[in-house]
Amino acid sequence: MAEATDDIEKLYEFGERLNDAKDKSQHRQDYEGIIAAANGSVKAKQLAAQLIPKFFKFFPQLEAQALDEHLNFIEDDQLGVRVQAIRGLPLFCKDTPEHLSKVVDILGQLLVAGENVERDAIHKALMTVLRQDVKTSLTALFKRIGSIGDRSVEDLSTWESIREKVLLFLRDKVFPLKMELLQPQELMERHITTLVKQNLQDVTAAEFKMFMDFLKSMSLFGHNAPAERIQELVEIIEGQADLDAQFDVSDADHIKRFILCLSVAFPFFKRGASGSKFLNYLNKQIMPVFDKLPEQWKLDLLKNLAECSLYATPQDSRQLLSSVVQLLKKHMVRRKIEEINYTCIECLLYTFHHLAHKTPNATNSLCGYKIVTGQPSDRLGEDFSEQYKDFTERLSTVEDLARAMIKKLTQGMADQNKALAAAKTEEEKDAIKTQQQNATFALRACNNILTMTQPLHTKTPKFIGDQKVNLSWKEVAKPSGPSTASVAGQKRPAATTNGSSSNATKKGRAGGMQHQLVNKAFAGIHDGGRSSGRGGRSWRGRGRGQGRSYR
């Protein structure tokens, strides 16, 4: 006990002499005495953890020894010693910025700490160094996000844990303060964009969504950003979608990734970015094997295609239209059967209209129309009457089926209302409400089909090129008056019009919003969990590794 007291008194003496000295560099023995306290009592270690970083800049010849002993404090068994050592880390680079990257890397590894007081100290220390030099600090942190490289697989678990904590720190602590930290704004926003691009080789869907949400929130890509900057975001998404790779229909991960990336890219198409690379890949790689796709992905793919068709270029429309017509004919059966997917037909009709609106004479050879544009591609001298007969007969069959389904659904809604009134338990009521919602969505699908088939019976149809048809899975404004299609207990209102702006959705699909699938896949990081796939990773099959290595 007396020995421990002596150690503390010596430390105070060393510290006081260094404080009072005008030329502190002449007091090397005092600083060496402070470093030696790393092997002392708990109190001595805590005091030394304050003094070592405080006088660090005056003794460059002792840098390695001082840092090494301070790192011993960080790994000490006593929480108080560790916390004091963590608080002192930013001082090592306050006047010696060449150590900043190392300090940030150490703090990044420490984010896995289990004690709340320890994590709080780490967060505060990281924010201190970020405010000192945000560019260097972010660069160091992002190195903990990149791919495994040559690191040892044995340390994979530790590397993954550190990486996840760094991502959460960026999301929760750094991104919300972007206006304060990213200064000068344009320079730093460009720098962090580069960092994100460099570290997307191995990310989950949730992580990718997090980064894209952050990028598009920056002024660099804001509402006034030129189209070429928005295109830059689309190019990042294209890289994640693996559009340069040969499509393998048996690769469920690639299918899922393509659909999710297309969903993320879609808002940027509305802002002037080109979706040509996505549409070309879809046309050449996926449409030829569409029938072989897993059923759970077919409808999601068609929904995304329908929304993107609104922004397709005339050239893309001409290239894609043939594949869409072929697929549409497969779904628009010539004989009346009970089981057809109304939402798939809705998607394809919507896509057909918007593509044909941009390249109308391409439908002459595909559907037998007689649209004159004065171009050789009109092919007016050729006989396509069989194509016209086949296409319009299929339209008529689908219309009859849709009308019959509307009648069936309307009667079913009345029965469901009665059943809901008679239901006694909450479980029964919830089940009936789900049935009502599904029926409402199916009714919207059928109404949309009738709206889009009606103008296609003439030899020179007027294709729909605007957004007057509300796709069935899209939210719609609540009507001001009562709706004949409304259902007691339904969660979303149904539109009741003459069909021109009615809505539809997938039969039997509750809550048919397009992005439900996307949100589910992207949910992983929001609760600190991982998405899916190997070890929770669903995008990219490569692993990672590296343990904590402070030295």
Side-chain angles (χ1 to χ4, degrees):
M1 188 69 177
E3 185 178 345
T5 304
D6 289 342
D7 287 342
I8 295 172
E9 288 179 356
K10 287 180 181 179
L11 281 171
Y12 276 118
E13 289 177 9
F14 296 149
E16 287 174 1
R17 277 200 294 268
L18 284 168
N19 265 329
D20 295 338
K22 292 183 179 181
D23 186 359
K24 297 180 180 20
S25 62
Q26 298 300 313
H27 291 259
R28 174 171 175 155
Q29 288 185 334
D30 290 330
Y31 194 63
E32 286 176 331
I34 293 172
I35 293 173
N39 298 316
S41 65
V42 172
K43 294 290 185 180
K45 290 178 181 179
Q46 286 179 292
L47 183 54
Q50 297 178 51
L51 296 175
I52 288 176
K54 182 176 180 180
F55 301 110
F56 176 76
K57 65 180 180 179
F58 301 108
F59 302 96
Q61 69 276 25
L62 296 174
E63 280 184 357
Q65 187 180 350
L67 279 169
D68 196 53
E69 293 300 341
H70 197 84
L71 293 178
N72 287 334
F73 295 149
I74 287 175
E75 296 175 333
D76 197 86
D77 293 336
Q78 295 296 319
L79 176 62
V81 175
R82 298 199 303 272
V83 171
Q84 187 60 59
I86 290 166
R87 290 171 178 167
L89 278 173
L91 293 175
F92 283 103
C93 52
K94 183 178 180 182
D95 297 296
T96 50
E98 62 270 22
H99 297 294
L100 191 140
S101 293
K102 177 69 173 178
V103 168
V104 172
D105 185 63
I106 292 170
L107 288 168
Q109 295 179 64
L110 290 172
L111 285 168
V112 296
E115 298 288 343
N116 289 336
V117 65
E118 197 171 358
R119 285 198 304 271
D120 184 59
I122 296 163
H123 289 170
K124 288 179 178 178
L126 272 171
M127 294 308 296
T128 298
V129 292
L130 276 162
R131 289 186 170 95
Q132 177 183 331
D133 185 342
V134 65
K135 185 176 182 179
T136 303
S137 298
L138 286 175
T139 302
L141 279 176
F142 267 84
K143 287 181 180 178
R144 285 286 164 183
I145 299 173
S147 59
I148 183 173
D150 298 326
R151 299 178 178 97
S152 170
V153 176
E154 285 82 0
D155 295 323
L156 174 61
S157 177
T158 303
W159 170 260
E160 287 279 6
S161 298
I162 293 170
R163 181 184 180 278
E164 184 169 302
K165 295 300 183 183
V166 170
L167 282 168
L168 292 173
F169 175 79
L170 289 171
R171 186 196 72 181
D172 297 337
K173 303 296 183 180
V174 178
F175 291 173
L177 296 177
K178 62 179 183 292
M179 294 302 292
E180 173 193 345
L181 294 174
L182 300 185
Q183 297 296 332
Q185 188 177 55
E186 184 173 351
L187 179 66
M188 284 309 307
E189 287 188 347
R190 175 52 61 192
H191 178 66
I192 200 169
T193 300
T194 301
L195 289 175
V196 169
K197 287 181 180 180
Q198 292 172 345
N199 290 278
L200 289 177
Q201 299 94 338
D202 189 9
V203 292
T204 65
E207 292 162 1
F208 179 64
K209 175 65 161 49
M210 179 192 76
F211 281 126
M212 291 307 302
D213 284 346
F214 175 66
L215 290 181
K216 70 183 183 182
S217 74
M218 298 193 304
S219 298
L220 193 67
F221 303 106
H223 294 298
N224 297 322
E228 56 267 24
R229 284 192 189 166
I230 306 305
Q231 188 64 39
E232 184 179 350
L233 294 178
V234 172
E235 290 171 0
I236 294 173
I237 302 168
E238 289 170 352
Q240 283 295 304
D242 276 355
L243 299 185
D244 294 325
Q246 181 67 33
F247 182 71
D248 181 0
V249 72
S250 65
D251 185 356
D253 183 65
H254 195 182
I255 298 166
K256 176 180 177 181
R257 186 164 63 249
F258 178 86
I259 294 172
L260 297 180
C261 285
L262 188 55
S263 296
V264 175
F266 171 69
F268 303 125
F269 301 156
K270 295 194 290 185
R271 297 178 60 186
S274 170
S276 293
K277 195 167 183 179
F278 273 103
L279 294 178
N280 288 336
Y281 190 87
L282 178 65
N283 183 41
K284 294 177 181 179
Q285 299 274 351
I286 300 179
M287 293 298 271
V289 294
F290 183 86
D291 290 341
K292 297 179 182 179
L293 292 176
E295 289 298 323
Q296 70 265 33
W297 299 115
K298 287 182 179 178
L299 182 60
D300 291 287
L301 183 62
L302 291 180
K303 284 182 175 183
N304 278 279
L305 175 59
E307 293 205 47
C308 291
S309 67
L310 189 63
Y311 305 98
T313 65
Q315 182 179 357
D316 294 336
S317 299
R318 184 172 292 276
Q319 292 176 351
L320 187 57
L321 192 57
S322 176
S323 298
V324 171
V325 170
Q326 291 178 27
L327 194 56
L328 182 58
K329 286 181 178 180
K330 288 182 180 179
H331 282 81
M332 292 199 310
V333 293
R334 296 190 66 172
R335 60 188 181 87
K336 296 178 181 179
I337 58 176
E338 283 291 324
E339 294 300 324
I340 64 172
N341 192 313
Y342 291 96
T343 307
C344 282
I345 295 174
E346 177 203 12
C347 291
L348 288 165
L349 281 170
Y350 188 91
T351 302
F352 172 77
H353 269 282
H354 283 281
L355 299 181
H357 179 76
K358 299 181 183 76
T359 178
N361 66 350
T363 63
N364 291 353
S365 60
L366 295 171
C367 308
Y369 292 133
K370 296 288 184 180
I371 296 173
V372 179
T373 65
Q375 300 297 319
S377 54
D378 289 347
R379 302 176 67 177
L380 295 177
E382 301 179 54
D383 182 13
F384 297 112
S385 56
E386 284 300 317
Q387 284 89 334
Y388 178 76
K389 179 182 178 184
D390 177 71
F391 193 66
T392 52
E393 284 181 356
R394 291 177 187 274
L395 290 173
S396 297
T397 300
V398 167
E399 287 171 338
D400 290 343
L401 290 170
R403 291 189 186 100
M405 179 56 67
I406 288 172
K407 183 177 180 180
K408 181 178 179 180
L409 289 168
T410 304
Q411 179 58 50
M413 287 178 175
D415 295 339
Q416 288 162 359
N417 285 338
K418 295 177 183 178
L420 183 63
K424 296 180 180 179
T425 67
E426 288 300 319
E427 289 183 358
E428 290 176 344
K429 291 178 181 179
D430 288 341
I432 295 169
K433 287 177 182 178
T434 299
Q435 294 172 8
Q436 291 176 324
Q437 191 177 50
N438 293 342
T440 301
F441 291 150
L443 183 62
R444 294 178 184 177
C446 293
N447 281 332
N448 266 356
I449 289 171
L450 294 178
T451 298
M452 291 186 286
T453 56
Q454 183 179 1
L456 299 180
H457 287 280
T458 68
K459 283 281 188 177
T460 56
K462 297 293 184 182
F463 300 111
I464 299 170
D466 56 23
Q467 301 184 58
K468 74 174 184 177
V469 174
N470 285 315
L471 289 165
S472 58
W473 56 91
K474 307 293 286 185
E475 289 281 9
V476 292
K478 186 175 181 180
S480 57
S483 169
T484 57
S486 63
V487 182
Q490 73 184 47
K491 295 181 180 178
R492 293 188 178 95
T496 58
T497 68
N498 59 9
S500 63
S501 61
S502 55
N503 302 277
T505 197
K506 178 180 178 183
K507 180 181 178 182
R509 181 188 181 101
M513 296 301 295
Q514 178 196 17
H515 300 298
Q516 283 184 338
L517 170 69
V518 180
N519 291 337
K520 180 180 179 182
F522 288 158
I525 201 168
H526 298 296
D527 56 8
R530 310 308 294 231
S531 207
S532 61
R534 181 207 59 74
R537 309 197 65 75
S538 62
W539 289 14
R540 317 297 188 201
R542 300 187 296 275
R544 299 189 220 276
Q546 179 172 343
R548 294 163 69 172
S549 178
Y550 308 135
R551 310 294 174 175

